[in-house]
Structure formats: C-alpha cells, structure tokens
Amino acid sequence: MLRSSSSISRLPLDFLAYKYFADLNNSKLAVQQSLALIGFINPSRRLCDSLTSEFSFPYDLISSINTCFSVLACKKIHAQVIKTLNYRDGFIGDRLVSLYTKLDHLQYAQNLFDEMPDKDLVSWNSLISGFSKKGELINCLNALYRMRLEMGLGPNEVTLICILSACTDTGAFLEGVYIHGIAVKTGLINETKLVNSLINIYGKFGCLDLARLLFSTMQEPSLVSWNSIILVFVENGVSDEAVRMFNMMKRVGVNPDQATIVTLLQGCGDIGIINLAETMHGYILRAGLDENIAITTSMLSLYSKSGKLDSSKMLFEGMKDPDRIAWTAMIGGYSMHGRGKEAIKYFDLMVKRGLKPDHVTFTHLLSACSHSGLLIEGKRYFDTMSSVYGVEPKLDHYSCMVDLFGRSSCLKEAHDLIKKMPMEPNHGVWGALLNACRISNNVELGKEVAEKLFILNPYDQRNYVMLSNIYSAAGHYNDALKIKSLMKKRGVVRTVGCSFIEHRNKIHRFVVGDRSHQETHGFYLKLDELIKKIEVVGYKPMTKLVLHDVNEDVKVEMIKEHSEKLAIAFGLLVTEEGVPLVITKNLRICGDCHSMAKFVSLTEAREIIIRDVKRFHHFANGLCSCGDYW
DNA sequence: AGGCGTCCAA
C-alpha cells in the first residue's frame, strides 16, 4: 500500500515552470510570469501592482494569512514568498501548506511543500494534516513513509493523531490499528491526546473493550479523555455505562463541559435510561448551561425524539438567536412526526431570516416531504436546492427523493432518478427503491434491486426481510422460503421485533407472543376484549401480511400477538384513563398493528404514540398523524 | 511564532 512517491498527480509543465522561475531570481516580472504559468494567478494589472505594496515581510504576511479566506489571497501571499525565497521566516511555508489544504487545493499544497527547503517535522505534519482533513488516508500514510525515507524523520504524536483522524473518516480500521502499533513502538502511547484519538477510533468501530482498556491505562485522563470514553458508550448504545463514567468523572473532580452534556443528552433517548434526562436537566440548570445554544439544541432534539414536539417548539421559541443547527433540528422534529407542511413552513421562515440551509437541512426537509407525501413540494425543493440555495444534492438527498417517489407509487420516476444520478448509488438509495418495489408490488424489479443490495451489504437483514415480504405479498411463498434459507446459510440473523413501554420507572419489553411478563394473563384478556370491541366498529385483521403459508385462522392468531398489540393492551391495563400511551418499536410498525391502534384510540378514547424506527405515529380518535402514509 | 484530540442537526 505504501508507495515511494505521492499519488497526487502533477502537471510536469507547471512544476518545471514553478521551479525554474522560483530559482531564477526574485524579480517582480519573474514572479508574475511563474505564477501565471503554473496557473496560480491570473496576473491582472492590479494584482501585479499590489504585490510590491501590500505586504512588508514577514509579520504582515503572517497576520494576513490568518484572515485569508480565498485562494486568490493565498496565492498573493505565496507569490510574495516566492519573490523573497524565504519559507522559514515566520514558518510561512508551513502556514501556506495548511492554508492551501483548507482551501481545498491539495495539489498546490503538495507543490509548495516539495519546493520548501529546510522541512522539519512540523512541516510534514502540516502536509499530513491537510491530507487528513480531506480524507486522503493513502497520502497520509505515504507521507509518513516518505518522511522517514527522505529525511530519517519519525512521527510525533501530532502526526499520528492526524492520520488516525483520516482512518476514522474513511472507515479504515486496520490502518488505525497499525497506527496504534506505531504509537506503542515509538513510546508515544503515553501521550494523552493520542490515546484520546485511539479511544475514539475504537469506539467508532465498536471495540468497546479496547476503548475501555485504553482509557483505564491512562495516568491522567483529561476532560477530553472523559468525554471521548463517554461518547464511545453513548454511540454504541450502552448509555448506562456512559452515566457511570459521568458520575465517576465528577467524583474524581473533573468538571463536565458542553461536550459532556451534549453527548449524554444524545444517550437520553436510549431505552432503559429513564431518569437520565431528568438528571441531565438538573445538572444543566445547576451549572447555568441552560442558555447554551448547543445544549438547548440537543434538548430540543431529545424532546422531539421522545414524542414531545410541543416541548421542542417551546424550547425553540425561547431561544434568543437560533442558528442554522437549531432550525434544522426543528425541521427534523417536524419531519420525524410526519408534519411536512410545518417543516416546510419553518424552512421558508429560516431562509427568510437570512440563514443559509445546508445539506442536513435539506435531508430533513426532503424526508419531511417524503413522510407526508408532499410530492410536488419535495420535487420543487430538490430541483432548486443547488441553483437557489447552493447545496449540491448528495446521496442522502437522492435516497429521500427515491423514497418520496416510491411512497407516491411513482416507481418509474424513482428508478429513472437513480439512473440519472451523477454518483454511484449506495445502499440507502437502493434500499429506498426496494421499499418502493414493496409498495408497488413489483416483484421483478424488487428481485433485481435486492440482488444489488445483497452484494453491497450481505449481512444487512433488512434487505432479505424486505424481499421475502415482497414475495409473500405476491403469494410466492416458495421464493420467500428460499430467501429465509439463504439468510440462514449466510448467517444473517433476523432482528426480532419488540415493543417497549415505560411504566413506573421500569421498561416493559414485549416480543411477539410474549408470555414471560408477570401480567401476561391480565393483558391477554385485555387484548381479547379490545379486539372484540374494535371488530364491531370495522377492524379486520390484515392476514395478508402473514408470511407463512398457513390457513386463515392461524394467521389471525399469529397477527394478534404482535408485540405492538401486547404493549398497547398492557398499557391500557396499567394506566389511568386518559393518559397517553407512549410505545417504542425497534422496527417499522406493522400495518395491522397500525390499523388496530387507530381503532383502539377511538373505542378507548386514548391517545397512543408509537415511535418506530423511522418516525412517530400519533393515534387519536381513530386516525393517525401519518395519514396512513409511511 | 507553525502542526493535533471529544461535542449540537443526519
């Protein structure tokens, strides 16, 4: 993998011109000609004149570099450096290397770097850092190799930190481990910041034990170390461990900061962490952090994830000066709850206030359109996002659009959009199309798409289940069975659907046909009673959804014991009249359970809120907030 | 004097 020369291609003419003129002399003309030849500048009259008058080297140059936001300005400074032929003054060469990469000009950075005399470790780090920020891992490793080969230089902790960050960004686990090895060999493993990066990367790849081990070997973990290990646990869904670390850090006298709080708030949505939100809220108030915009935004987002959209809205309205992220969070909240019209309203309002939406804002906006079936609006925003708002559509946006077309039964449009994509579609895009095939009952295309997905993500059970459902719905039970055995053969495990409901500070968990709960007898009776009652007002079991080729009575029985229904029956059994039921489902809600919840909300006069893996469903008076569109 | 770690929306 390591090669001795840079994999950045260079244009020989540019290079020669640069070298020739830079070495030749430092006359004004030579500088201009060299810069023009290598395409660094367009030597307008004004620029030429400004070269002599604008800077007096080096201190003005250094201060100008800090306020330099355009490539042209950077090139002007560079021109001045070429003219005076002094890269070391004020470390101007290193600064320029960083600057060029920040401005997305890796090639210029590399050219400049190669021309610099007297490179030291920090110069190499500047280059590696630049590559790392652009996700150029190969170039990072290449530079690491070259610095030893050409100058006998070994890395320091900064070098390794930069490379690790590139490993994390590109999903390069083995390379990360390789860097860990170098850290151990060079003795750099005692550097706190480096260990923080290692903890981070192990967490990102789900190696909780390694992350924990690294943390426990630290002599003196910093605030960031604590934040990193807490993040590892939250990201991997073990927020109770995160809470333990939080308490421990306070005990040893490390003061939590904004990052700690924001991270833990993220974990508050996890199942089983009932009191964490209250704990955090108390802490935020005591620490006087309730005005902090990042923390408020996290709270806002947490509320909408917990089904309390009104609270999100209140928090948002109380914000002094909501930024793009806060607005985006609000749009995301409306999207998740299927309130597309309001999402659009907030988007338009945000633009009116002069805030610039980014690609995340558009992801939420488009998914809001998709969740509410707003085909025309979605198309309009998608078509104008680049021209009017300057945001280029990415993979996520294409997924949303495929989803939107698919749910609106425009399978052909969905497929055509994919064919027109300027980049290679990923599993998200194909997955949306597979779901579209399910909605349109298109077995042929579904099979084709699923084959692609099986290659892209052979261990993702959702694709197998989806295809098997498509077959079953069309009555092709044999094909459905074949998919099941294929899963078995490949060792793909189907996720068991389960529903959760919170009651008296306890999480009650149900799977299909569950009889392990101590209230089993009670809520099964309740369930029978409910079914009888709703059948009178028109409920009919959707037995078509049962995938097995069994007779009708068995199908009715199978569908009746779905986890959602058990949770609803349990909830009605143990709560007071009029208390809304809040249920969480780990997969998408089943169509029959959706219908059942609608009827129950009517006959029992109860609000039922079900959060599934995709979005929220608010059932009341026999209707659902999603308008049966999900 | 220059290069570096965690965190809010997906």
Side-chain angles (χ1 to χ4, degrees):
Chain A
M1 175 185 302
L2 297 170
R3 277 172 292 168
S4 62
S5 72
S6 165
S7 67
I8 283 196
S9 67
R10 66 165 91 250
L11 299 167
L13 181 66
D14 293 355
F15 176 66
L16 289 174
Y18 185 169
K19 187 157 180 54
Y20 177 68
F21 283 105
D23 283 347
L24 188 65
N25 56 45
N26 62 359
S27 82
K28 189 173 160 185
L29 184 67
V31 171
Q32 284 161 16
Q33 282 176 340
S34 70
L35 293 176
L37 260 172
I38 60 181
F40 272 174
I41 54 165
N42 179 13
S44 69
R45 182 97 223 165
R46 267 214 355 255
L47 182 65
C48 298
D49 292 343
S50 74
L51 278 177
T52 46
S53 56
E54 204 165 311
F55 308 111
S56 67
F57 198 72
Y59 294 105
D60 287 0
L61 269 181
I62 292 172
S63 61
S64 67
I65 227 168
N66 296 329
T67 54
C68 184
F69 293 110
S70 76
V71 181
L72 182 64
C74 184
K75 285 171 184 171
K76 277 159 73 174
I77 301 167
H78 191 176
Q80 186 77 23
V81 179
I82 291 176
K83 198 177 134 185
T84 60
L85 290 174
N86 195 341
Y87 288 98
R88 294 285 346 144
D89 276 342
F91 302 112
I92 197 85
D94 302 335
R95 290 175 197 262
L96 279 171
V97 169
S98 303
L99 189 54
Y100 271 132
T101 56
K102 270 184 206 128
L103 297 167
D104 269 334
H105 283 257
L106 290 183
Q107 181 67 64
Y108 292 163
Q110 174 86 60
N111 288 349
L112 192 155
F113 180 83
D114 290 344
E115 284 310 299
M116 271 166 54
D118 309 322
K119 291 183 275 263
D120 66 4
L121 179 55
V122 178
S123 312
W124 283 96
N125 287 348
S126 303
L127 185 71
I128 291 175
S129 155
F131 285 141
S132 149
K133 287 194 184 99
K134 302 296 162 200
E136 296 275 345
L137 175 61
I138 302 290
N139 279 313
C140 286
L141 293 169
N142 191 14
L144 177 70
Y145 178 72
R146 276 180 56 205
M147 63 196 266
R148 173 169 307 281
L149 192 77
E150 292 171 17
M151 298 177 57
L153 267 178
N156 70 354
E157 76 281 7
V158 176
T159 324
L160 299 189
I161 286 168
C162 289
I163 302 178
L164 277 176
S165 124
C167 293
T168 313
D169 292 347
T170 55
F173 180 59
L174 287 178
E175 286 79 355
V177 175
Y178 169 67
I179 298 299
H180 188 178
I182 295 180
V184 173
K185 263 199 275 188
T186 51
L188 291 165
I189 194 69
N190 293 319
E191 295 288 333
T192 304
K193 286 179 182 176
L194 179 55
V195 181
N196 294 345
S197 299
L198 284 168
I199 289 173
N200 177 46
I201 191 169
Y202 281 124
K204 290 283 182 308
F205 288 105
C207 305
L208 293 188
D209 293 340
L210 279 171
R212 194 200 302 262
L213 184 69
L214 272 167
F215 183 82
S216 67
T217 58
M218 293 179 89
Q219 305 264 322
E220 209 172 321
S222 67
L223 173 59
V224 175
S225 314
W226 284 100
N227 288 350
S228 303
I229 192 73
I230 288 174
L231 179 68
V232 167
F233 288 129
V234 167
E235 274 178 338
N236 285 284
V238 275
S239 298
D240 44 345
E241 279 295 306
V243 179
R244 279 192 40 222
M245 298 312 279
F246 176 58
N247 292 330
M248 210 190 290
M249 81 185 275
K250 285 190 291 187
R251 241 193 343 266
V252 299
V254 178
N255 247 342
D257 70 347
Q258 173 189 304
T260 327
I261 309 296
V262 163
T263 306
L264 282 159
L265 283 174
Q266 214 184 304
C268 285
D270 287 355
I271 291 296
I273 310 290
I274 300 176
N275 297 319
L276 180 56
E278 283 158 30
T279 312
M280 293 317 299
H281 195 78
Y283 186 86
I284 290 163
L285 291 176
R286 267 181 282 124
L289 290 167
D290 49 326
E291 299 267 308
N292 179 303
I293 189 157
I295 289 177
T296 313
T297 306
S298 296
M299 295 277 287
L300 186 164
S301 167
L302 174 64
Y303 275 129
S304 59
K305 281 180 207 149
S306 322
K308 297 170 187 160
L309 198 52
D310 292 342
S311 307
S312 301
K313 208 175 149 196
M314 262 171 57
L315 217 49
F316 182 78
E317 276 163 3
M319 286 171 92
K320 278 205 197 79
D321 200 9
D323 60 0
R324 179 182 65 212
I325 298 174
W327 281 91
T328 303
M330 208 54 223
I331 294 169
Y334 281 121
S335 160
M336 207 188 295
H337 288 265
R339 289 160 65 167
K341 287 262 160 65
E342 279 145 299
I344 289 178
K345 198 182 90 191
Y346 269 72
F347 177 82
D348 290 341
L349 213 56
M350 143 183 201
V351 173
K352 225 164 144 189
R353 296 274 159 85
L355 285 150
K356 205 179 161 306
D358 70 356
H359 65 104
V360 184
T361 321
F362 273 101
T363 305
H364 287 305
L365 179 67
L366 295 177
S367 91
C369 292
S370 155
H371 283 155
S372 303
L374 302 169
L375 183 59
I376 294 168
E377 291 85 346
K379 259 163 80 174
R380 196 182 71 223
Y381 284 117
F382 181 75
D383 290 340
T384 54
M385 61 185 279
S386 161
S387 55
V388 177
Y389 304 97
V391 181
E392 281 311 313
K394 293 189 181 198
L395 283 165
D396 282 351
H397 306 116
Y398 280 98
S399 302
C400 289
M401 289 312 288
V402 171
D403 200 51
L404 176 55
F405 282 128
R407 287 166 200 269
S408 315
S409 298
C410 306
L411 189 58
K412 190 179 175 315
E413 282 85 345
H415 201 184
D416 289 347
L417 181 65
I418 294 185
K419 287 180 193 154
K420 279 192 301 200
M421 280 173 65
M423 69 286 259
E424 207 47 46
N426 67 350
H427 66 275
V429 177
W430 288 122
L433 188 63
L434 184 58
N435 189 37
C437 295
R438 181 187 61 88
I439 291 166
S440 305
N441 296 312
N442 190 321
V443 180
E444 275 312 302
L445 185 59
K447 194 179 154 206
E448 205 179 293
V449 174
E451 295 297 341
K452 285 190 202 300
L453 281 162
F454 293 158
I455 294 168
L456 276 175
N457 270 3
Y459 295 102
D460 189 339
Q461 48 101 23
R462 291 172 302 178
N463 305 323
Y464 295 89
V465 173
M466 188 83 85
L467 181 61
S468 150
N469 285 4
I470 292 175
Y471 280 138
S472 302
H476 301 185
Y477 293 111
N478 272 338
D479 290 323
L481 281 178
K482 268 187 210 150
I483 297 299
K484 280 202 173 153
S485 59
L486 181 66
M487 282 176 83
K488 209 170 198 174
K489 208 173 95 194
R490 294 189 184 167
V492 184
V493 186
R494 184 180 175 147
T495 305
V496 178
C498 48
S499 299
F500 307 85
I501 185 167
E502 191 185 323
H503 177 60
R504 295 216 175 115
N505 278 345
K506 228 185 125 190
I507 303 284
H508 299 265
R509 176 180 179 274
F510 301 94
V511 295
V512 62
D514 206 319
R515 283 180 168 70
S516 62
H517 196 280
Q518 66 179 54
E519 296 282 348
T520 295
H521 184 64
F523 67 75
Y524 270 97
L525 281 179
K526 184 79 190 171
L527 183 59
D528 281 332
E529 179 198 316
L530 286 172
I531 301 281
K532 276 193 193 109
K533 228 160 139 185
I534 63 177
E535 269 170 350
V536 176
V537 290
Y539 164 77
K540 285 199 179 56
M542 299 160 81
T543 47
K544 220 183 98 184
L545 296 167
V546 177
L547 312 178
H548 305 279
D549 192 9
V550 288
N551 74 39
E552 198 64 15
D553 294 347
V554 181
K555 284 188 181 179
V556 170
E557 278 310 307
M558 286 171 77
I559 217 163
K560 198 177 114 183
E561 300 187 350
H562 274 183
S563 67
E564 294 96 316
K565 296 194 182 73
L566 301 186
I568 290 173
F570 173 79
L572 288 172
L573 188 70
V574 297
T575 55
E576 306 285 319
E577 245 172 70
V579 179
L581 300 185
V582 183
I583 292 165
T584 308
K585 168 97 198 269
N586 70 336
L587 302 170
R588 228 180 252 230
I589 186 173
C590 128
D592 183 62
C593 291
H594 191 269
S595 152
M596 181 261 195
K598 281 199 292 184
F599 281 109
V600 170
S601 74
L602 182 69
T603 60
E604 306 302 302
R606 207 56 102 85
E607 201 183 327
I608 302 174
I609 299 163
I610 301 186
R611 170 195 179 181
D612 74 7
V613 73
K614 283 273 173 192
R615 58 172 291 166
F616 277 94
H617 298 264
H618 290 254
F619 301 92
N621 305 315
L623 294 172
C624 178
S625 63
C626 74
D628 299 337
Y629 187 92
W630 84 90

